[in-house]
Amino acid sequence: MGWLAEASTKYRLRWKRRRLLFRALRKRRQLSPVIDRTAQIAPGAILAASTVRNEAVRLPFFLEHHRKLGVAHFLFVDNASDDGTREYLAQQPDVSLWSTPESYRLSRFGLDWLTWLMIRHAHGHWCLTLDADEILIYPHHDTRPLPALVDWLERTGRSSFGTMMLDMYPKGPVRAQEYRAGEDPFEALCWFDAGNYMIQKQPVHQNLWIQGGVRARCFFADEPRRAPTMGKVPLVKWNRRYVYINSTHALLPRDLNRVYDEAGGEETSGLLLHTKFLHTIVDKSAEEKERGEHFANSALYESYYDALVENPDLWCEASTKLTSWRQLEAMGLMSRGNWI
Amino acid sequence: MSVGIIMLVHTAFDRAEQVARHWAAAGCPIVFHVDRNVPSKTYNTFVNAMSDLPDVRFVKRHRCEWGTWGLVAATQEAGETMLAEFADVRHVYLASGACLPLRPVQELIDYLADRQTTDFIESATTADVPWTIGGLDQERFTLRFPFSWRQQRYLFDKYVQFQRAVGYKRHIPNGVVPHMGSQWWCLTRQTLSAILEDPERKAYDRYFRRVWIPDESYFQTLARLYSRKIESRSLTLSKFDYQGKPHIFYDDHLQLLRRSDCFVARKIWPFANRLYDAFLTDQDSAMKRTEPNPGKIDRIFSKAVERRTRGRPGLYMQSRFPAPGREGGLTCAQYSVFEGFSDLFENFEPWLAKATGARVHGHLFAKERVEYSDGQHVMNGALSDSAKLRDYNKRAFLTNLIWNTRGERQCFQFGPRDMIEEIEWDIAKDPNAQISVITGAWAIPLFKSNKNFSDIRKEAALLQQIESEHLKALRSEWAKARIRIWTLAEFIEAPMEPLQTVIDEIGKQYQRGLAEVPKMADLTGFGQFLQNLKNQGMHPYLMGDFPVAHGRHEPQQSKRKPYLVR
């Protein structure tokens, strides 16, 4: 009866995908265009999509880094920023911007909005779905831009690329070092947890549920199940019928989640360096606790916000200092696979 | 006399043009074949762009799909044109638009001028090489392949199965022996013209049209019939991955390509500006006159294949998560597990650390917290000492610990008081584990404790039950670890021999015998303690036979002379 169960799961997921697509379709009215430069998008261009709220501090570096990697056009949704994010993005020549005052949580943390934009503009393109605090790196990213990576992925018959989020943190209390827009955030946030990640395979969606890292160590040691999910599939050769399920941790159709090798070998993979722990985290946490827009069940995460508001020091003696992607690759945090 | 270049082009025309001009500048005539799938507008632009070069020809376009006859037909067409139009060409070099000359063209011309009758074509019989992808070796010459492997995979597979089922076998014309090899060759005019003007060519063409991947076997086979001297190697550096697809070279391969001393490399990523700039600018620097040596970089490529297919055993990450049983080793390095030793010996951990130089932890799976060595709260890789985090995924905890401490032997204590469910099986099944057990030693802390006897009895019964379950795992047929089990009575009879064996296995550098002996707990009255348990109805059997009376093997054991192996 195994095949029957399999078939029914497939059928269920198919309808789930359609439901989510329909949901995105309904939510399209919540978006109003600020500036639409999507006419610039050339065939084959690599796109990035992101929902942002008050990220003026992070965006200059975010844009610079991903432009350098070869992202040709950015699709942004601004969710009621009041720190100049909107004005800043509108000025950028390679950005198309929409805005909405509606609830981030009710839009599945911005995904419904992005799904709609990607249906419209990302069909047939390799598309990178990121948060503003995520910086994509992969093996050889300093010498081989994204077009080289996606070319190679296509040649090896893959249409998605797996990564893990790596929480970067400073040494000393998180608020001690002030970050100014445009600077390299990894000057200060140069420490990470190298080897405390725990992986389970999710039977239904077949993605890897990765937990661990500094947040699990410092904030969820008593409740590991609630520790944040670190695995992501941010880079996908998009089709308008695809949809992300839960942040970019997993998507449908589920074959796209199989970014790992199960026979013992290593696929090529990358990392999302997470710049969450800039000095702004302390004030932002206090605000997020108030808003309750970041978790489906926000009350359960109050102690997490409380710990962040206290300006913690996340560093420990066993923290590792970031030196290069080769270091991360050698430590097994990402892999070249056979892309040498 | 010169070298003629056949270029097969289907994409990246600007790069093809750039390379063609480089060849032409050294006086090489060029014949282009452009894939018929290229739109005629693009084709015409390309033809116009090349029109200022005198010694350039274009031939009739064929549809070139990987693994099909089109590539051979294109090559034949271009070869005929080359031989007819450029009478002074002695060697014909087959290249593609993604090929890049690595050494000055003049060096290649000189090299070939010194070897006027040599054909450079990789050519081996199927029996001798393990190159084939997809399980077809000899069969690619004896079955028919009318369907495309890329686009009609289902039909392809079914048709192969069908032919196997009915026992179909093709006749190979004139009994030629099929050879195969890299499709990028360099043939002399004599050999190439002999192949193209062969009166039997029709028969050969008809045969090879239905062979699988004829571009890797047509010229490779026929050259064997006519060549006066074959060097079975390609002058083009071309590396293939485990799926049979060519590796692509990027900017960061510059030094690697330089080191290879090869004349031409493929495939080059069209946007690898640094490579094109470096190799296509005039290199009037000293001529090397060295033999091409792709072997220098072979190791790097075979490593890559291994990384992709076997991965790093003991590593679990976002792109390597082997299904159960396919890990190739649960952990990445050997480690030692000690059960009962720290109960029997008072200073076992520091003693072991001193004797072996290994990292010795306490009970890593203790209920309250992870007892790392030296009371540390976080270990390498920021592994936390929280028992909850550990118990959330014990297997990940163990594999992480061993991975994070690569290069340093790990030892830890283990026992029925720990959270051993599940992980005991993982350890027992792990060939990297070395497990040494003194059964029943858990009774010693009870014996020394100051608890009420009824509580002791209860605890003893529980621990005995857990340990006997645990021993089942260690003795099961699935256990792959190196396991040694002694009963307590057996062990204290002659403790140094087992200790020496275990230690020898851990540290190869400390094989001179143990200088110091760990201090054994005082067991005076232990026999009576066990008898009391028995009297209360709880039968402790895992310790082995312990006499009730003060036996000869009791406390004085610790005063024994160190046992010396040699």
Side-chain angles (χ1 to χ4, degrees), chain B residues 40-57:
Chain B
S40 30
K41 202 174 139 203
T42 319
Y43 174 66
N44 291 333
T45 320
F46 182 60
V47 174
N48 282 335
M50 300 304 300
S51 58
D52 62 316
L53 294 179
D55 289 344
V56 167
R57 301 287 182 277

Side-chain angles (χ1 to χ4, degrees), chain A residues 144 196 211 261 264 266, chain B residues 252 308 310 312 320 382 392:
Chain A
R144 306 180 195 174
N196 54 11
Q211 292 172 289
D261 190 306
E266 292 175 30
Chain B
D252 44 287
R308 176 65 191 81
R310 284 192 58 238
R312 292 170 274 187
R320 181 181 198 270
Y392 182 59

Side-chain angles (χ1 to χ4, degrees), chain A residues 140 143-145 147-148 151-152 155-156 162-164 193-201 208-211 216-217 220-222 224-225 259-271 316-318 329-340, chain B residues 241-243 245-248 250-253 267 269-271 274 300-301 303-313 315-323 326-327 376 378-384 386 388-390 392-393 396-397 400-401 403-404 406:
Chain A
H140 304 291
T143 49
R144 306 180 195 174
D151 252 18
W152 184 79
R155 288 170 52 80
T156 53
T163 61
M164 185 179 79
D193 283 15
N196 54 11
Y197 299 90
M198 301 168 281
I199 309 182
Q200 301 167 56
K201 185 176 158 185
L208 294 184
W209 184 19
I210 309 178
Q211 292 172 289
R217 169 166 65 82
F220 294 92
D222 288 330
R225 227 190 70 79
V259 291
Y260 50 94
D261 190 306
E262 286 198 292
E266 292 175 30
E267 294 269 18
T268 309
S269 58
L271 284 170
C316 74
E317 274 161 45
E329 209 271 344
M331 292 183 119
L333 286 160
M334 62 180 178
S335 176
R336 276 180 284 190
N338 59 338
W339 197 41
I340 59 156
Chain B
D241 67 9
Y242 76 113
Q243 291 173 312
K245 295 194 175 124
H247 269 292
I248 297 181
Y250 301 92
D251 281 347
D252 44 287
H253 289 122
K267 281 176 99 157
W269 190 50
F271 303 98
R274 212 172 130 221
I300 294 169
F301 287 90
K303 271 239 156 92
V305 172
E306 190 179 306
R307 173 68 64 91
R308 176 65 191 81
T309 53
R310 284 192 58 238
R312 292 170 274 187
L315 172 67
Y316 301 82
M317 42 110 60
Q318 66 271 30
S319 57
R320 181 181 198 270
F321 196 66
R326 306 202 63 175
E327 296 94 348
Q376 294 174 91
V378 274
M379 264 298 284
N380 300 23
L383 213 49
S384 158
S386 150
K388 276 187 177 152
L389 272 177
R390 174 201 66 201
Y392 182 59
N393 193 335
F397 169 80
N400 277 337
L401 176 78
W403 176 261
N404 294 342
R406 304 191 291 292

Side-chain angles (χ1 to χ4, degrees), chain B residues 5-9 20 28-34 43 46-47 50-51 53-60 77-78 80-87:
Chain B
I5 311 292
I6 296 177
M7 270 180 99
L8 307 180
V9 189
C28 298
I30 302 164
V31 176
F32 278 105
H33 177 273
V34 178
Y43 174 66
F46 182 60
V47 174
M50 300 304 300
S51 58
L53 294 179
D55 289 344
V56 167
R57 301 287 182 277
F58 286 84
V59 296
K60 189 179 148 223
E77 196 95 39
E80 279 164 357
T81 307
M82 177 69 76
L83 296 177
E85 305 240 343
F86 303 102

Side-chain angles (χ1 to χ4, degrees), chain B residues 209-225:
Chain B
R209 207 176 272 274
R210 290 284 176 263
V211 156
W212 194 39
I213 323 187
D215 49 317
E216 287 180 1
S217 57
Y218 181 82
F219 290 98
Q220 289 72 4
T221 302
L222 297 182
R224 286 279 168 191
L225 298 181

